[in-house]
């Protein structure tokens, strides 16, 4: 593709600096292009405070060539965005999904209204919904956009909780491939158009087609999620019919790569596959969902992602030719949000106001633990935190009057942050909430030993890398990576408290409502009988930590991997 150097463009613009007054022909030459800045982010997940997440940045002084820096915080995030906006009068701030959902207590306690209010203040222009926007269903999602207080479950009347009425989002929500079955129309508009100096840019926004399988089953009732490539390519003619030749996609699907924040090493995944299948008119694809960062060029397409939790912002500069209205040059860089950097005072005021409201619950010390519980997965496929959460599920449902469970499972996707004790070993409610923020019901059901074996085989699915369930204490098994899918669990290796799990015997099993509905390809859970709804998963975790204080997190070793 013919590219115009940004350095050359700057030189052209300054060619007459300090010289005689510009002629008409010079003015026409200067206006031959329009420069537009796009500021992008994704997977914010309501992290208004600096998260316990570090970003890999290049550092030649390290043996690995990288170091891991703390990053994020909405006050610093906003300050960085404002500084970038000051560089160009033609600017759009965009989000590629999961702005809310799986959020820390500071946002979740107020139904994620604080995050939307914060993004209004940041000046977000366009947001493509992600899968987590559907965590609490369509009604909740539409209220986040349109405003209004949530309805009281008992009275059915709006309840603002003593706060001013919630005003909703001041920015566009897009959902090109989310179709309402009853109407055949998108849940939110398929695209948005922004005009800069007479030149229009079309922004197509959509989420991953896999959304129904990775959110609560009730969250997507009445909706159809269409293929991403087909959806985007079908919209290109409609945009061109409006005279739009510059097209940007905001897509809640992405990929992975092996480099640091501004590299593109061995870029793989659905994000790449989708981008490569798009109409040539799509020149910029802003991706999300995988919580990775990269700046990639796939042929003529610029493909970016900005990590997660507001730790990174993507700064994209475009040059558009006035005569053709096409993007003729583009570049991007990922910038780390420095938690020690400048703060936006307006956001500080917002965060402080909600912090005061949430502080009594958030800062309550639940109990003590003896060491950190990490979600880092070991060679066997298990993690300390995964096992701990499974233990909490069992703790909350083992009593006969609570379901009589003997085994509990937990999906790794529900683990959002490690549980880290303070200097005295104390763990606050807010930290436990951060580690497991979905507030799913625990569902107790009956499965046979053979069904449990088939359930475990579903962990391996069709993916190249297994995402194994956390398992509760007393349960163990061995899996062989060299065996074919469907036969990876070694026969006779499943044990419960040292005794073999018998194929024909029935066992009471607990899983959160997300898994119990068959999400993440775990359809065997839907075959469970004698189902019983228990307490919330977070309540079980709080009870277990308090009852066992000082509690010692479990070790790995419940799973054994061969090959």
């Amino acid at each position: 593709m013919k590219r115009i150097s940004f350095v050359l463009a700057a030189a052209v613009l300054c060619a007459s600096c300090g010289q005689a007054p510009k002629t008409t022909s010079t003015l026409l030459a200067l206006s031959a292009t329009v420069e537009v800045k796009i500021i992008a982010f994704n997977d914010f997940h309501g992290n208004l405070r600096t998260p316990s997440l570090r970003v890999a940045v290049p550092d030649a002084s390290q043996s690995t060539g990288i170091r891991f820096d703390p990053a994020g915080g909405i006050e610093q995030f906003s300050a960085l965005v404002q500084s970038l906006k000051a560089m160009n009068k033609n600017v759009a701030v965009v989000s590629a999904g999961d702005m809310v959902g799986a959020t820390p207590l500071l946002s979740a306690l107020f139904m994620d209204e604080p995050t939307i209010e914060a993004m209004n203040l940041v000046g977000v222009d366009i947001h493509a919904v992600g899968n987590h926007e559907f965590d609490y269903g369509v009604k909740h999602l539409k209220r986040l956009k349109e405003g209004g207080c949530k309805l009281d479950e008992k009275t059915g009347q709006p309840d603002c909780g003593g706060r001013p009425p919630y005003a909703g989002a001041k920015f566009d929500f897009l959902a090109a491939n989310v179709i309402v079955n009853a109407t055949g129309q998108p849940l939110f508009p398929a695209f948005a158009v922004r005009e800069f100096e007479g030149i229009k840019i079309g922004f197509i926004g959509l989420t991953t087609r896999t959304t129904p399988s990775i959110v609560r089953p009730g969250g997507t009732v009445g909706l159809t999620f269409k293929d991403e490539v087909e959806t985007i390519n079908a919209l290109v003619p409609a945009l061109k019919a409006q005279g739009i030749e510059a097209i940007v996609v905001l897509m809640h699907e992405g990929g992975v790569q092996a480099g640091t924040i501004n590299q593109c090493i061995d870029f793989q995944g659905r994000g790449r596959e989708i981008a490569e299948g798009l109409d040539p008119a799509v020149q910029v694809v802003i991706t999300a969902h995988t919580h990775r960062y990269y700046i990639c060029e796939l042929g003529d397409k610029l493909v970016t992602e900005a990590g997660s939790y507001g730790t990174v912002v993507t700064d994209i500069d475009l040059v558009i030719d006035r005569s053709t209205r096409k993007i003729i040059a583009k570049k991007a860089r990922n910038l780390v949000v420095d938690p020690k950097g400048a703060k936006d005072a307006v956001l500080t005021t917002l965060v402080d106001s909600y912090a005061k409201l949430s502080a009594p619950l958030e800062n309550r010390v639940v109990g003590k633990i003896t060491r950190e519980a990490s979600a880092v997965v070991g060679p066997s496929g298990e993690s300390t935190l995964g096992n701990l959460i499974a233990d909490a599920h069992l703790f909350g449902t083992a009593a006969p009057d609570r379901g009589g469970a003997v085994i509990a499972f937990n999906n790794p996707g529900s683990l959002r942050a490690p549980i880290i004790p303070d200097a005295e070993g104390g763990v606050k409610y807010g930290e436990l909430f951060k580690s497991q923020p979905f507030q799913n019901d625990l569902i107790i059901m009956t499965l046979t030993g053979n069904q449990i074996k088939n359930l475990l085989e579903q962990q391996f699915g069709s993916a190249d890398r297994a995402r194994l369930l956390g398992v509760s204490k007393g349960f163990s098994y061995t899996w062989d990576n060299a065996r074919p899918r469907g036969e990876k669990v070694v026969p006779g290796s499943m044990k419960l408290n040292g005794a073999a799990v018998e194929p024909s015997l029935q066992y009471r099993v607990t899983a959160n409502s997300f898994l119990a509905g068959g999400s993440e390809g775990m359809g065997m859970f839907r075959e469970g009988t004698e189902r019983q709804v228990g307490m919330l998963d977070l309540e079980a975790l709080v009870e277990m930590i308090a009852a066992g204080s000082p509690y010692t997190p479990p070790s790995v070793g419940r799973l054994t991997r061969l090959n």
Side-chain angles (χ1 to χ4, degrees):
M1 183 188 81
K2 182 180 178 182
R3 295 179 182 270
I4 292 181
S5 165
F6 281 82
V7 175
L8 177 59
V12 170
L13 291 173
C14 292
S16 59
C17 294
Q19 298 178 11
K22 303 177 182 66
T23 65
T24 301
S25 60
T26 303
L27 288 171
L28 289 174
L30 287 174
S31 63
T33 60
V34 175
E35 296 186 10
V36 177
K37 182 180 289 293
I38 298 174
I39 303 168
F41 65 100
N42 55 274
D43 296 280
F44 186 77
H45 288 288
N47 278 266
L48 299 173
R49 291 181 173 137
T50 300
S52 55
L53 179 70
R54 293 177 180 265
V55 175
V57 296
D59 187 345
S61 69
Q62 303 295 316
S63 59
T64 59
I66 61 174
R67 71 174 188 274
F68 292 89
D69 286 348
I74 191 63
E75 300 155 72
Q76 299 86 345
F77 176 93
S78 182
L80 176 57
V81 169
Q82 306 317 316
S83 69
L84 293 173
K85 289 173 73 172
M87 296 179 182
N88 192 331
K89 64 179 180 178
N90 302 324
V91 61
V93 182
V94 301
S95 161
D98 280 7
M99 181 182 288
V100 297
T103 53
L105 185 66
L106 183 62
S107 183
L109 187 61
F110 307 100
M111 302 298 292
D112 284 328
E113 294 171 15
T115 295
I116 302 299
E117 292 174 359
M119 293 305 171
N120 286 339
L121 295 173
V122 170
V124 172
D125 294 293
I126 303 170
H127 170 60
V129 299
N131 59 284
H132 278 291
E133 268 84 11
F134 294 89
D135 280 346
Y136 298 102
V138 172
K139 287 184 179 179
H140 171 70
L141 174 54
K142 294 186 78 171
R143 188 182 70 82
L144 280 180
K145 172 64 181 81
E146 298 166 2
C149 299
K150 74 170 185 174
L151 298 180
D152 184 276
E153 293 182 0
K154 295 181 179 179
T155 66
Q157 299 300 310
D159 180 9
C160 298
R163 297 177 290 119
Y166 168 63
K170 296 179 180 179
F171 45 91
D172 292 335
F173 277 31
L174 303 182
N177 66 332
V178 183
I179 306 302
V180 179
N181 296 339
T183 65
Q185 299 299 312
L187 178 64
F188 294 110
F191 59 83
V193 177
R194 292 293 184 272
E195 186 171 328
F196 304 98
E197 298 182 32
I199 300 298
K200 295 178 180 179
I201 298 180
F203 293 86
I204 299 172
L206 71 170
T207 187
T208 172
R209 70 185 185 199
T210 66
T211 293
S213 67
I214 54 177
V215 301
R216 290 177 176 177
T220 58
V221 172
L223 302 175
T224 296
F225 291 74
K226 298 175 65 177
D227 179 81
E228 302 92 345
V229 174
E230 293 177 3
T231 299
I232 295 167
N233 288 345
L235 288 168
V236 169
L239 289 169
K240 286 192 170 186
Q242 297 186 28
I244 299 169
E245 297 290 341
I247 300 175
V248 175
V249 166
L250 311 176
M251 177 175 68
H252 196 72
E253 183 59 274
V256 298
Q257 62 104 10
T260 53
I261 63 173
N262 283 300
Q263 292 182 302
C264 186
I265 299 174
D266 191 26
F267 181 44
Q268 304 292 333
R270 289 199 68 234
R272 175 173 188 145
E273 296 167 3
I274 293 168
E276 290 178 333
L278 297 182
D279 188 293
V282 176
Q283 291 282 291
V284 180
V285 184
I286 298 167
T287 71
H289 190 49
T290 52
H291 291 209
R292 303 299 180 94
Y293 25 65
Y294 41 79
I295 304 293
C296 295
E297 291 189 11
L298 301 180
D300 287 344
K301 289 181 173 59
L302 176 66
V303 183
T304 71
E305 186 167 328
S308 61
Y309 296 1
T311 56
V312 172
V313 168
T314 306
D315 177 23
I316 303 170
D317 288 313
L318 307 178
V319 175
I320 303 173
D321 185 277
R322 279 191 180 275
S323 61
T324 65
R325 302 185 301 279
K326 293 182 179 181
I327 297 170
I328 55 174
K330 50 190 178 293
K331 68 175 182 178
R333 57 177 179 160
N334 276 329
L335 303 173
V336 177
V337 177
D338 183 359
K340 296 181 180 179
K343 295 183 178 181
D344 186 329
V346 176
L347 272 299
T348 299
T349 299
L350 178 76
V351 171
D352 287 349
S353 66
Y354 278 107
K356 289 178 181 177
L357 294 172
S358 64
L361 177 61
E362 185 173 18
N363 294 327
R364 178 171 70 85
V365 176
V366 172
K368 292 185 176 183
I369 65 173
T370 59
R371 63 172 183 265
E372 175 182 340
S374 170
V376 175
V377 176
S380 67
E382 60 186 319
S383 71
T384 301
L385 183 60
N387 288 347
L388 184 155
I389 298 298
D391 283 352
H393 289 2
L394 184 62
F395 180 90
T397 58
D401 62 340
R402 288 186 167 187
V406 294
I407 303 170
F409 297 105
N410 179 69
N411 59 304
S414 71
L415 311 176
R416 310 309 286 195
I419 299 176
I420 304 174
D422 60 25
E424 289 74 41
V427 178
K428 297 177 180 178
Y429 183 90
E431 291 299 309
L432 296 181
F433 188 100
K434 191 186 303 182
S435 73
Q436 185 185 250
F438 293 100
Q439 302 182 77
N440 286 314
D441 292 322
L442 294 180
I443 308 297
I444 310 94
M445 66 189 74
T446 298
L447 292 172
T448 66
N450 189 56
Q451 287 174 317
I452 293 173
K453 195 269 185 186
N454 292 337
L455 171 70
L456 297 178
E457 295 291 356
Q458 289 183 329
Q459 298 174 110
F460 304 96
S462 59
D464 293 331
R465 182 174 63 88
R467 286 171 58 81
L468 304 190
L469 301 172
V471 303
S472 57
K473 61 183 179 181
F475 182 76
S476 62
Y477 67 93
T478 299
W479 64 283
D480 188 344
N481 194 46
R483 296 170 67 91
R485 291 193 179 101
E487 302 177 18
K488 289 189 178 291
V489 177
V490 175
S493 68
M494 292 192 306
K495 290 184 169 55
L496 179 60
N497 299 322
V501 172
E502 299 292 337
S504 61
L505 288 183
Q506 293 183 328
Y507 300 85
R508 292 292 279 168
V509 173
T510 296
N512 63 48
S513 53
F514 172 79
L515 276 179
S519 297
E520 288 197 347
M522 307 299 291
M524 187 56 62
F525 277 116
R526 290 196 292 267
E527 296 191 13
T529 60
E530 301 176 282
R531 298 168 82 93
Q532 177 179 338
V533 178
M535 63 172 57
L536 291 176
D537 51 10
L538 180 62
E539 292 177 354
L541 176 60
V542 169
E543 276 196 13
M544 184 183 74
I545 298 297
S549 182
Y551 172 83
T552 298
S555 301
V556 295
R558 298 172 184 179
L559 277 57
T560 301
R561 173 180 174 173
L562 304 179
N563 301 304

Short mmCIF file of all heavy atoms in Angstrom, two decimals, residues 29-69:
data_model
loop_
_atom_site.label_atom_id
_atom_site.label_comp_id
_atom_site.label_asym_id
_atom_site.label_seq_id
_atom_site.Cartn_x
_atom_site.Cartn_y
_atom_site.Cartn_z
N ALA A 29 -2.93 22.96 -1.06
CA ALA A 29 -2.01 21.85 -0.82
C ALA A 29 -2.02 21.44 0.64
O ALA A 29 -1.98 20.27 0.99
CB ALA A 29 -0.60 22.23 -1.27
N LEU A 30 -2.09 22.45 1.53
CA LEU A 30 -2.07 22.17 2.95
C LEU A 30 -3.33 21.43 3.39
O LEU A 30 -3.31 20.70 4.37
CB LEU A 30 -1.93 23.48 3.74
CG LEU A 30 -0.55 24.16 3.68
CD1 LEU A 30 -0.62 25.49 4.37
CD2 LEU A 30 0.51 23.27 4.31
N SER A 31 -4.42 21.64 2.70
CA SER A 31 -5.67 21.01 3.12
C SER A 31 -5.97 19.73 2.35
O SER A 31 -7.09 19.25 2.37
CB SER A 31 -6.83 21.99 2.93
OG SER A 31 -6.98 22.31 1.55
N ALA A 32 -4.96 19.17 1.70
CA ALA A 32 -5.17 17.96 0.91
C ALA A 32 -5.45 16.74 1.76
O ALA A 32 -6.01 15.75 1.29
CB ALA A 32 -3.98 17.70 0.00
N THR A 33 -5.05 16.80 3.02
CA THR A 33 -5.27 15.66 3.92
C THR A 33 -5.89 16.13 5.23
O THR A 33 -5.79 17.31 5.60
CB THR A 33 -3.96 14.92 4.23
OG1 THR A 33 -3.03 15.83 4.86
CG2 THR A 33 -3.35 14.34 2.96
N VAL A 34 -6.50 15.21 5.92
CA VAL A 34 -7.04 15.45 7.25
C VAL A 34 -6.41 14.45 8.21
O VAL A 34 -6.35 13.26 7.92
CB VAL A 34 -8.58 15.29 7.27
CG1 VAL A 34 -9.12 15.42 8.70
CG2 VAL A 34 -9.23 16.31 6.36
N GLU A 35 -5.90 14.95 9.31
CA GLU A 35 -5.29 14.08 10.33
C GLU A 35 -6.27 13.87 11.47
O GLU A 35 -6.84 14.82 12.00
CB GLU A 35 -3.98 14.70 10.83
CG GLU A 35 -2.92 14.81 9.75
CD GLU A 35 -1.58 15.27 10.28
OE1 GLU A 35 -1.42 15.32 11.52
OE2 GLU A 35 -0.70 15.60 9.46
N VAL A 36 -6.45 12.62 11.84
CA VAL A 36 -7.40 12.24 12.89
C VAL A 36 -6.70 11.36 13.91
O VAL A 36 -5.92 10.47 13.54
CB VAL A 36 -8.61 11.49 12.30
CG1 VAL A 36 -9.56 11.04 13.41
CG2 VAL A 36 -9.35 12.37 11.29
N LYS A 37 -6.97 11.60 15.16
CA LYS A 37 -6.42 10.77 16.24
C LYS A 37 -7.54 9.93 16.85
O LYS A 37 -8.61 10.45 17.18
CB LYS A 37 -5.77 11.63 17.32
CG LYS A 37 -5.13 10.82 18.45
CD LYS A 37 -4.49 11.71 19.50
CE LYS A 37 -3.24 12.37 19.00
NZ LYS A 37 -2.13 11.42 18.75
N ILE A 38 -7.28 8.63 16.99
CA ILE A 38 -8.21 7.73 17.68
C ILE A 38 -7.52 7.24 18.95
O ILE A 38 -6.39 6.74 18.90
CB ILE A 38 -8.61 6.54 16.80
CG1 ILE A 38 -9.34 7.04 15.55
CG2 ILE A 38 -9.50 5.57 17.57
CD1 ILE A 38 -9.64 5.95 14.55
N ILE A 39 -8.17 7.41 20.07
CA ILE A 39 -7.66 6.94 21.36
C ILE A 39 -8.50 5.74 21.78
O ILE A 39 -9.71 5.87 21.96
CB ILE A 39 -7.73 8.05 22.41
CG1 ILE A 39 -6.95 9.29 21.94
CG2 ILE A 39 -7.19 7.56 23.75
CD1 ILE A 39 -7.20 10.53 22.77
N ALA A 40 -7.87 4.58 21.88
CA ALA A 40 -8.63 3.34 22.07
C ALA A 40 -8.21 2.61 23.34
O ALA A 40 -7.06 2.66 23.76
CB ALA A 40 -8.44 2.43 20.86
N PHE A 41 -9.18 1.89 23.91
CA PHE A 41 -8.91 1.01 25.04
C PHE A 41 -9.93 -0.12 25.02
O PHE A 41 -10.89 -0.10 24.23
CB PHE A 41 -8.94 1.77 26.37
CG PHE A 41 -10.29 2.32 26.74
CD1 PHE A 41 -11.10 1.66 27.66
CD2 PHE A 41 -10.75 3.51 26.18
CE1 PHE A 41 -12.34 2.16 28.01
CE2 PHE A 41 -12.00 4.02 26.53
CZ PHE A 41 -12.79 3.34 27.44
N ASN A 42 -9.75 -1.09 25.87
CA ASN A 42 -10.64 -2.26 25.89
C ASN A 42 -10.57 -2.97 27.23
O ASN A 42 -9.61 -2.79 27.99
CB ASN A 42 -10.25 -3.24 24.77
CG ASN A 42 -8.80 -3.66 24.84
OD1 ASN A 42 -7.93 -2.96 24.30
ND2 ASN A 42 -8.51 -4.77 25.48
N ASP A 43 -11.59 -3.75 27.51
CA ASP A 43 -11.62 -4.62 28.70
C ASP A 43 -11.28 -3.86 29.98
O ASP A 43 -10.50 -4.31 30.80
CB ASP A 43 -10.65 -5.80 28.51
CG ASP A 43 -11.07 -6.69 27.36
OD1 ASP A 43 -11.96 -7.52 27.55
OD2 ASP A 43 -10.51 -6.56 26.25
N PHE A 44 -11.94 -2.72 30.16
CA PHE A 44 -11.68 -1.91 31.36
C PHE A 44 -12.19 -2.60 32.62
O PHE A 44 -11.58 -2.50 33.68
CB PHE A 44 -12.36 -0.54 31.18
CG PHE A 44 -12.05 0.42 32.29
CD1 PHE A 44 -10.84 1.07 32.34
CD2 PHE A 44 -12.99 0.66 33.29
CE1 PHE A 44 -10.55 1.95 33.38
CE2 PHE A 44 -12.72 1.54 34.32
CZ PHE A 44 -11.49 2.19 34.36
N HIS A 45 -13.31 -3.27 32.53
CA HIS A 45 -13.87 -4.06 33.63
C HIS A 45 -13.98 -3.27 34.94
O HIS A 45 -13.73 -3.81 36.02
CB HIS A 45 -13.03 -5.32 33.87
CG HIS A 45 -13.19 -6.36 32.80
ND1 HIS A 45 -14.33 -7.11 32.64
CD2 HIS A 45 -12.34 -6.76 31.81
CE1 HIS A 45 -14.19 -7.94 31.60
NE2 HIS A 45 -12.99 -7.73 31.08
N GLY A 46 -14.36 -2.01 34.83
CA GLY A 46 -14.66 -1.23 36.02
C GLY A 46 -13.51 -1.00 36.96
O GLY A 46 -13.73 -0.71 38.15
N ASN A 47 -12.28 -1.05 36.47
CA ASN A 47 -11.12 -0.87 37.35
C ASN A 47 -10.82 0.61 37.54
O ASN A 47 -9.87 1.17 36.97
CB ASN A 47 -9.92 -1.62 36.79
CG ASN A 47 -9.94 -3.08 37.14
OD1 ASN A 47 -9.36 -3.53 38.13
ND2 ASN A 47 -10.66 -3.85 36.33
N LEU A 48 -11.62 1.25 38.38
CA LEU A 48 -11.46 2.67 38.64
C LEU A 48 -10.21 2.95 39.45
O LEU A 48 -9.61 4.03 39.33
CB LEU A 48 -12.70 3.19 39.39
CG LEU A 48 -14.02 3.03 38.61
CD1 LEU A 48 -15.20 3.41 39.50
CD2 LEU A 48 -14.01 3.87 37.35
N ARG A 49 -9.80 2.02 40.25
CA ARG A 49 -8.54 2.14 40.98
C ARG A 49 -7.44 1.37 40.25
O ARG A 49 -7.73 0.51 39.41
CB ARG A 49 -8.69 1.60 42.39
CG ARG A 49 -9.59 2.44 43.28
CD ARG A 49 -9.65 1.81 44.65
NE ARG A 49 -10.35 2.63 45.62
CZ ARG A 49 -11.23 2.17 46.49
NH1 ARG A 49 -11.53 0.88 46.49
NH2 ARG A 49 -11.80 2.97 47.37
N THR A 50 -6.19 1.65 40.59
CA THR A 50 -5.07 0.93 39.99
C THR A 50 -5.18 -0.55 40.32
O THR A 50 -5.22 -0.92 41.50
CB THR A 50 -3.73 1.48 40.49
OG1 THR A 50 -3.64 2.87 40.15
CG2 THR A 50 -2.56 0.74 39.86
N PRO A 51 -5.26 -1.42 39.32
CA PRO A 51 -5.43 -2.86 39.58
C PRO A 51 -4.11 -3.52 39.99
O PRO A 51 -3.03 -2.94 39.81
CB PRO A 51 -5.90 -3.40 38.23
CG PRO A 51 -5.25 -2.50 37.24
CD PRO A 51 -5.24 -1.13 37.87
N SER A 52 -4.20 -4.71 40.51
CA SER A 52 -3.00 -5.48 40.87
C SER A 52 -2.54 -6.26 39.64
O SER A 52 -2.41 -7.48 39.67
CB SER A 52 -3.31 -6.44 42.03
OG SER A 52 -4.41 -7.27 41.71
N LEU A 53 -2.29 -5.52 38.57
CA LEU A 53 -1.91 -6.11 37.30
C LEU A 53 -0.72 -5.32 36.77
O LEU A 53 -0.72 -4.10 36.80
CB LEU A 53 -3.08 -6.02 36.30
CG LEU A 53 -2.85 -6.58 34.90
CD1 LEU A 53 -2.74 -8.09 34.94
CD2 LEU A 53 -3.99 -6.16 33.97
N ARG A 54 0.30 -6.04 36.30
CA ARG A 54 1.49 -5.37 35.81
C ARG A 54 1.63 -5.57 34.31
O ARG A 54 1.23 -6.59 33.77
CB ARG A 54 2.74 -5.88 36.55
CG ARG A 54 2.72 -5.46 38.03
CD ARG A 54 3.89 -6.00 38.81
NE ARG A 54 3.83 -5.57 40.19
CZ ARG A 54 4.47 -4.50 40.67
NH1 ARG A 54 5.22 -3.77 39.85
NH2 ARG A 54 4.36 -4.15 41.93
N VAL A 55 2.24 -4.59 33.66
CA VAL A 55 2.37 -4.57 32.21
C VAL A 55 3.82 -4.82 31.82
O VAL A 55 4.74 -4.23 32.41
CB VAL A 55 1.90 -3.22 31.65
CG1 VAL A 55 2.15 -3.12 30.15
CG2 VAL A 55 0.42 -3.02 31.96
N ALA A 56 4.03 -5.68 30.84
CA ALA A 56 5.38 -6.00 30.36
C ALA A 56 5.87 -4.90 29.43
O ALA A 56 5.26 -4.65 28.38
CB ALA A 56 5.37 -7.34 29.64
N VAL A 57 6.95 -4.24 29.81
CA VAL A 57 7.53 -3.18 28.98
C VAL A 57 9.00 -3.50 28.71
O VAL A 57 9.66 -4.16 29.52
CB VAL A 57 7.42 -1.80 29.66
CG1 VAL A 57 5.96 -1.41 29.83
CG2 VAL A 57 8.12 -1.80 31.01
N PRO A 58 9.55 -3.06 27.58
CA PRO A 58 10.95 -3.36 27.25
C PRO A 58 11.91 -2.73 28.27
O PRO A 58 11.71 -1.60 28.72
CB PRO A 58 11.13 -2.72 25.87
CG PRO A 58 9.76 -2.56 25.32
CD PRO A 58 8.87 -2.32 26.49
N ASP A 59 12.92 -3.48 28.63
CA ASP A 59 13.96 -2.98 29.55
C ASP A 59 15.24 -3.75 29.29
O ASP A 59 15.39 -4.91 29.69
CB ASP A 59 13.51 -3.16 31.00
CG ASP A 59 14.49 -2.51 32.00
OD1 ASP A 59 15.61 -2.18 31.59
OD2 ASP A 59 14.12 -2.35 33.17
N ALA A 60 16.18 -3.11 28.61
CA ALA A 60 17.44 -3.77 28.22
C ALA A 60 18.28 -4.14 29.43
O ALA A 60 19.17 -5.01 29.33
CB ALA A 60 18.23 -2.86 27.29
N SER A 61 18.03 -3.53 30.58
CA SER A 61 18.82 -3.84 31.78
C SER A 61 18.44 -5.17 32.41
O SER A 61 19.17 -5.70 33.25
CB SER A 61 18.67 -2.72 32.81
OG SER A 61 17.35 -2.70 33.35
N GLN A 62 17.31 -5.73 31.99
CA GLN A 62 16.86 -7.00 32.54
C GLN A 62 17.34 -8.16 31.67
O GLN A 62 17.43 -8.02 30.45
CB GLN A 62 15.33 -7.03 32.63
CG GLN A 62 14.73 -5.91 33.46
CD GLN A 62 15.11 -5.99 34.92
OE1 GLN A 62 15.09 -7.06 35.53
NE2 GLN A 62 15.49 -4.86 35.49
N SER A 63 17.61 -9.27 32.29
CA SER A 63 18.10 -10.44 31.54
C SER A 63 17.08 -10.92 30.52
O SER A 63 17.42 -11.45 29.46
CB SER A 63 18.46 -11.57 32.50
OG SER A 63 17.33 -11.96 33.27
N THR A 64 15.81 -10.73 30.84
CA THR A 64 14.74 -11.15 29.93
C THR A 64 14.43 -10.10 28.87
O THR A 64 13.68 -10.36 27.93
CB THR A 64 13.46 -11.44 30.72
OG1 THR A 64 13.06 -10.24 31.41
CG2 THR A 64 13.67 -12.56 31.71
N GLY A 65 14.98 -8.90 29.05
CA GLY A 65 14.69 -7.82 28.12
C GLY A 65 13.40 -7.08 28.42
O GLY A 65 13.04 -6.15 27.70
N ILE A 66 12.70 -7.46 29.48
CA ILE A 66 11.45 -6.80 29.86
C ILE A 66 11.38 -6.65 31.37
O ILE A 66 12.07 -7.34 32.12
CB ILE A 66 10.21 -7.58 29.37
CG1 ILE A 66 10.18 -8.99 29.99
CG2 ILE A 66 10.15 -7.65 27.86
CD1 ILE A 66 8.91 -9.75 29.68
N ARG A 67 10.54 -5.74 31.78
CA ARG A 67 10.21 -5.62 33.21
C ARG A 67 8.69 -5.47 33.31
O ARG A 67 8.02 -5.17 32.31
CB ARG A 67 10.91 -4.44 33.85
CG ARG A 67 10.38 -3.08 33.43
CD ARG A 67 11.03 -1.94 34.21
NE ARG A 67 10.37 -0.67 33.94
CZ ARG A 67 10.67 0.13 32.92
NH1 ARG A 67 11.65 -0.22 32.08
NH2 ARG A 67 10.01 1.26 32.73
N PHE A 68 8.17 -5.69 34.50
CA PHE A 68 6.73 -5.62 34.69
C PHE A 68 6.40 -4.44 35.61
O PHE A 68 6.81 -4.41 36.77
CB PHE A 68 6.21 -6.92 35.28
CG PHE A 68 6.30 -8.08 34.31
CD1 PHE A 68 7.44 -8.86 34.25
CD2 PHE A 68 5.26 -8.34 33.44
CE1 PHE A 68 7.54 -9.91 33.35
CE2 PHE A 68 5.35 -9.38 32.53
CZ PHE A 68 6.50 -10.17 32.49
N ASP A 69 5.67 -3.47 35.05
CA ASP A 69 5.35 -2.24 35.78
C ASP A 69 3.90 -2.20 36.21
O ASP A 69 3.01 -2.64 35.47
CB ASP A 69 5.61 -1.02 34.88
CG ASP A 69 7.09 -0.73 34.69
OD1 ASP A 69 7.91 -1.32 35.42
OD2 ASP A 69 7.42 0.09 33.79
#
